[in-house]
Amino acid sequence: MDKLKITSGLKGLDTILHGGYPVASPTLIKGGPGTGKTVYSLNFVNAQLQQERSSVIATCDESPERLVRYMDEFGMEGSKRLASGQLVILDFRPNLDETVVGEYDLSPILLRISHAIESSDSKVLVIDSLQNLLLGLGITEPRKEILELFDWIREKGIATLVTMSASQTSLQQSLLEEYAVDCVIHLEQVLTNQLMTRYLRVVKLRGSAHGSNSYPFSLTQNGVSLLPITATRLESGERVVRTSTGIPRIDSMLGGEGYYTGSSLMISGRSGSGKTILASTLMNQVLQQGQKAVLVSFEESESDLRRNLKSVGLDLAGFSSNGQLVIHSGRAIEMGLEDHLINTIDLVEQESPALLVLDPVSALIDMGSSQMVKMLMIRFISYIKALGTTLVLTELLPDSSDDYSELAISSLVDTWFRLRQVESNGELNRLINVVKSRGSKTSNQVKEFTIGDQGIALEDPYIGEGELVVGSAKISRIKQDQENAERKRYELEQIEQALSTLQAAYESRQRVLGAEFENEKRDLMRKIDELKRQAAQVVEKRDVMQDLRY
Amino acid sequence: MSSIDDHYHLVLYIDTAKPRSFDISHRLRQLCKRHLSKSFTLEVIDLRKEPALLEQRRIIAVPTLDVTTPQSQKHRFVGDLTASKSFIVATGMFLNAENMQQNATKMKQNIINYKSKFK
């Protein structure tokens, strides 16, 4: 890591800040009430304690006991560190019994902080929150002495995080931001569609590059989770290994060996088209190979899902009990899209599964403007990809749709299956086709499949002439084709017979003609010979006559 | 430390690095002698020498004066009390009713004195 930066304790934030908070100068976190300023502070302190760096917290809002309890609740061993002396909490809560009667000097603040830092040999300081530090004195704005404190911090090279309420912005405050700190981070809460989302934005980071967008984050039981944007660099490595879908015929639709391991797949279809079952089949295959999988369901409870899948031959109980499979189910409306994605990422980071199923991802789509959803999904998909986890999304198409994807994210996925149910001859038949599959020789054929108690099975395709037919139409067509073939074979036989009869007739006639010809020929030849002989006799007679007459 | 039942117990926290701090403790003692009806003890603590006390007593500014009245009421005053006016305002807050009456005339006189000083 950068020598000039110190980890914030949050992977996502470190990425945004290109390494972490600056060491040389305090970092200011501004945000309204409830935006999580204290939680950011605790994460920072915890990360330093983990590296055996002593830390001092000057608390102006919460009592030291409560801070320690929060840390313990977040799994940060606050009380243990406090007991070992690595963590020092200074109680700067305003004493409201105080009466200000005259001029005073704030040197004790610096004195207390420096004493605590020196005696515990700390290199890390948190002040939470600055505007309450002087509240007991009736002052809400930073004074000159605060700048002196900051100067001292800078001089000593103590990595410092200062929080501040963003409710009011005065000249003094903006002066503080301009002058005293090198890094300013804004936290805010935004309510959209009755769902609250928290955002983080880096306003200023002197002398360093930083991400400049608003990044959603979530306060979870482990502290803060940021939706990371690392992977938007598209640096995911080359994928050459393929994983079987578990259904050989679908594998062959994808070029023979299945999908690329670690790619993203989407399964689109209307209600009842078999999306969840196909997704679970893919998952089952991965589990069978001894790898881990996570399924996040927004529609079915875990037990319902388990039962429904069991009825089609996918028994997942064994995988759940040995920890290979984690099923998380929750209603989409429980929280904002960002929180859902962040929670899912937390789960993925915890379990590092080979495959992640989101069923259905379309449940999340109604939760914001399509532009925003797309942006988030890009981040999410590319992050999952960077982890090397195969992502399987299902998309529920509304019944009114023309079986076309309504999600603007289809271009983001590598492989896209479309499932349909086609009504013909009073029955519904299931069809599957591969809309696209990057880097694979994709079959252009629409195939028929059935869902039975052994799961998904692809039917033998109808290989006769004409268009694709499915279901009972296929069966009747096959029968019809067989009859047609039979009839044709019969016709052929008849024609062949006729031909051979004709041949025979021809041959016999030829023989008769030949005989007649020979006869006639013989007669004529005899006549020719006769005439020749007679002619010769005439010449002979003339000679005799000549002799006689001369 | 003697019993606080019958007298005021005052603790003054000062920062000896600040040039006026000795002056403040000296003048405070004088003011107490003049204005407090009962006996008092004044403890002066230099924060530079006892930084741990800062933490324990949660001091954020100097001078700070902690007062415990004979009735065990506690008051904390921040800022320079040695201007007579602010001392009177401050002591008015912790003197009890009985004392108040006793001191009313005294105080009135004080104010007159104070005013006449600037006339």
Side-chain angles (χ1 to χ4, degrees):
Chain A
M1 195 194 285
D2 199 334
K3 254 186 174 170
L4 303 169
K5 301 277 179 72
I6 186 162
T7 180
S8 64
L10 303 162
K11 231 167 63 189
L13 185 54
D14 284 354
T15 312
I16 295 167
L17 296 172
H18 289 235
Y21 299 133
V23 173
S25 170
T27 297
L28 180 66
I29 293 194
K30 280 183 81 171
T35 47
K37 299 185 291 293
T38 304
V39 187
Y40 274 85
S41 312
L42 295 182
N43 264 289
F44 173 56
V45 166
N46 181 52
Q48 307 314 323
L49 289 173
Q50 300 259 308
Q51 297 178 30
E52 305 302 327
R53 287 197 197 104
S54 301
S55 308
V56 173
I57 302 178
T59 176
C60 316
D61 295 337
E62 307 276 11
S63 72
E65 296 75 35
R66 270 174 85 170
L67 277 188
V68 171
R69 211 180 65 217
Y70 289 157
M71 288 184 80
D72 289 346
E73 278 169 10
F74 286 137
M76 294 178 182
E77 321 182 303
S79 39
K80 194 184 128 196
R81 301 288 186 176
L82 192 69
S84 71
Q86 285 172 297
L87 175 64
V88 178
I89 302 182
L90 304 179
D91 190 355
F92 272 105
R93 280 176 300 158
N95 189 341
L96 297 173
D97 300 333
E98 283 173 352
T99 313
V100 178
V101 288
E103 280 181 35
Y104 56 85
D105 192 291
L106 294 173
S107 61
I109 294 177
L110 180 55
L111 216 60
R112 279 169 72 181
I113 291 176
S114 59
H115 176 253
I117 283 178
E118 277 153 18
S119 59
S120 66
D121 196 23
S122 293
K123 285 273 172 228
V124 177
L125 170 67
V126 166
I127 302 176
D128 179 41
S129 59
L130 193 61
Q131 85 278 357
N132 285 357
L133 182 58
L134 304 180
L135 194 64
L137 302 175
I139 299 175
T140 51
E141 293 188 343
R143 284 198 359 165
K144 190 181 101 264
E145 285 93 337
I146 300 298
L147 297 184
E148 280 172 17
L149 172 66
F150 281 18
D151 280 343
W152 178 83
I153 287 167
R154 237 181 309 220
E155 202 181 296
K156 295 279 178 185
I158 290 156
T160 304
L161 188 65
V162 177
T163 71
M164 198 172 186
S165 162
S167 46
Q168 78 274 44
T169 312
S170 65
L171 185 67
Q172 298 271 33
Q173 280 193 1
S174 43
L175 268 174
L176 181 80
E177 286 180 30
E178 297 264 318
Y179 169 71
V181 298
D182 277 358
C183 178
V184 179
I185 295 170
H186 275 207
L187 305 180
E188 57 180 343
Q189 301 185 104
V190 177
L191 197 68
T192 22
N193 300 337
Q194 279 86 47
L195 291 167
M196 224 240 324
T197 309
R198 296 181 170 91
Y199 289 98
L200 173 148
R201 187 162 59 94
V202 180
V203 180
K204 159 182 166 181
L205 180 54
R206 221 178 256 165
S208 168
H210 62 88
S212 52
N213 302 327
S214 237
Y215 302 97
F217 71 91
S218 174
L219 296 179
T220 63
Q221 67 214 69
N222 304 320
V224 183
S225 280
L226 270 152
L227 191 57
I229 32 65
T230 1
T232 45
R233 292 188 202 137
L234 280 178
E235 57 188 12
S236 42
E238 203 181 334
R239 311 201 182 286
V240 284
V241 185
R242 283 176 182 266
T243 305
S244 166
T245 58
I247 305 165
R249 281 210 170 123
I250 294 184
D251 286 350
S252 63
M253 287 173 84
L254 297 172
E257 293 162 75
Y259 56 86
Y260 284 112
T261 308
S263 66
S264 50
L265 294 85
M266 189 161 87
I267 303 167
S268 293
R270 292 189 203 174
S271 178
S273 57
K275 299 178 298 296
T276 306
I277 294 173
L278 179 56
S280 307
T281 307
L282 300 181
M283 187 175 78
N284 188 48
Q285 182 66 17
V286 167
L287 292 169
Q288 297 279 357
Q289 290 166 2
Q291 291 173 295
K292 293 180 87 172
V294 170
L295 189 151
V296 179
S297 173
F298 298 116
E299 280 182 343
E300 292 175 282
S301 73
E302 189 175 340
S303 54
D304 284 0
L305 189 74
R306 232 181 257 289
R307 183 199 62 210
N308 296 346
L309 291 176
K310 199 172 179 179
S311 72
V312 293
L314 295 167
D315 191 355
L316 304 171
F319 297 122
S320 282
S321 57
N322 72 8
Q324 256 182 277
L325 171 64
V326 176
I327 297 180
H328 175 82
S329 74
R331 293 277 162 193
I333 50 162
E334 270 171 25
M335 45 184 128
L337 173 62
E338 291 85 353
D339 286 342
H340 273 301
L341 296 184
I342 288 167
N343 281 356
T344 307
I345 282 177
D346 274 356
L347 199 60
V348 168
E349 284 180 344
Q350 239 171 63
E351 302 289 332
S352 46
L355 183 127
L356 166 70
V357 180
L358 286 193
D359 180 43
V361 72
S362 38
L364 301 177
I365 302 303
D366 308 330
M367 309 183 73
S369 71
S370 62
Q371 181 62 33
M372 196 189 83
V373 168
K374 184 170 184 179
M375 223 178 63
L376 276 172
M377 288 308 293
I378 291 174
R379 285 185 191 167
F380 178 75
I381 291 175
S382 39
Y383 182 68
I384 296 293
K385 215 180 239 189
L387 292 178
T389 298
T390 302
L391 177 64
V392 179
L393 306 170
T394 67
E395 181 198 12
L396 173 69
L397 298 176
D399 291 341
S400 57
S401 78
D402 287 330
D403 282 325
Y404 290 111
S405 174
E406 305 235 318
L407 288 190
I409 59 166
S410 55
S411 64
L412 302 173
V413 299
D414 297 314
T415 301
W416 183 12
F417 292 106
R418 195 153 58 117
L419 306 184
R420 276 183 296 164
Q421 284 181 293
V422 177
E423 187 177 354
S424 59
N425 305 328
E427 61 181 25
L428 280 171
N429 293 300
R430 299 176 187 279
L431 299 181
I432 178 172
N433 69 313
V434 178
V435 183
K436 74 164 183 184
S437 185
R438 287 186 183 137
S440 303
K441 282 178 286 177
T442 315
S443 164
N444 64 351
Q445 296 291 308
V446 177
K447 309 253 165 131
E448 184 191 3
F449 71 97
T450 55
I451 298 174
D453 47 9
Q454 291 306 311
I456 291 181
L458 260 73
E459 292 289 297
D460 290 328
Y462 169 69
I463 45 170
E465 24 184 334
E467 62 192 7
L468 174 82
V469 283
V470 294
S472 59
K474 182 177 85 179
I475 295 166
S476 77
R477 180 71 81 85
I478 289 170
K479 205 152 242 166
Q480 202 181 325
D481 282 359
Q482 281 169 351
E483 280 167 16
N484 277 349
E486 198 70 30
R487 200 161 49 236
K488 289 212 170 101
R489 204 161 37 245
Y490 180 68
E491 242 171 69
L492 179 70
E493 265 170 32
Q494 281 189 322
I495 288 171
E496 274 171 353
Q497 245 167 15
L499 182 66
S500 58
T501 316
L502 198 66
Q503 180 84 21
Y506 166 72
E507 279 167 6
S508 68
R509 208 175 277 175
Q510 205 178 25
R511 268 196 306 278
V512 172
L513 265 176
E516 278 176 5
F517 169 73
E518 286 298 323
N519 282 344
E520 295 262 336
K521 191 178 159 188
R522 220 176 298 129
D523 284 354
L524 292 174
M525 289 302 278
R526 212 178 293 135
K527 272 180 190 163
I528 289 169
D529 285 348
E530 186 72 14
L531 287 172
K532 276 185 181 165
R533 205 171 54 241
Q534 281 173 4
Q537 277 172 357
V538 170
V539 174
E540 246 174 67
K541 274 178 192 164
R542 236 171 54 189
D543 287 348
V544 174
M545 290 301 279
Q546 201 176 17
D547 289 344
L548 291 173
R549 288 204 187 148
Y550 281 99
Chain B
M1 197 189 293
S2 57
S3 156
I4 55 165
D5 286 339
D6 55 347
H7 70 267
Y8 295 97
H9 187 69
L10 286 77
V11 184
L12 178 68
Y13 303 90
I14 54 165
D15 177 2
T16 48
K18 303 287 163 185
R20 289 191 60 228
S21 55
F22 291 110
D23 191 29
I24 286 170
S25 59
H26 180 67
R27 288 190 59 194
L28 184 69
R29 194 176 295 277
Q30 287 184 331
L31 281 165
C32 288
K33 274 184 187 156
R34 198 183 310 157
H35 293 293
L36 296 181
S37 55
K38 294 189 177 170
S39 62
F40 68 92
T41 53
L42 176 62
E43 198 180 338
V44 180
I45 291 171
D46 179 9
L47 299 175
R48 297 274 156 184
K49 286 181 188 143
E50 296 185 65
L53 267 180
L54 269 175
E55 207 43 62
Q56 199 189 319
R57 312 239 166 120
R58 288 167 56 192
I59 308 288
I60 62 164
V62 283
T64 291
L65 177 68
D66 277 348
V67 179
T68 312
T69 68
Q71 287 77 32
S72 296
Q73 288 174 308
K74 286 180 195 299
H75 296 273
R76 172 171 285 188
F77 301 97
V78 175
D80 187 356
L81 269 165
T82 55
S84 309
K85 198 177 177 183
S86 41
F87 182 81
I88 291 160
V89 172
T91 48
M93 291 189 66
F94 63 79
L95 293 178
N96 60 25
E98 178 202 0
N99 284 339
M100 290 276 281
Q101 219 156 24
Q102 270 183 14
N103 285 330
T105 30
K106 216 172 186 180
M107 275 174 142
K108 224 179 239 171
Q109 194 56 48
N110 282 339
I111 291 167
I112 292 162
N113 290 345
Y114 177 75
K115 276 184 180 164
S116 62
K117 246 192 226 172
F118 295 94
K119 262 177 189 167

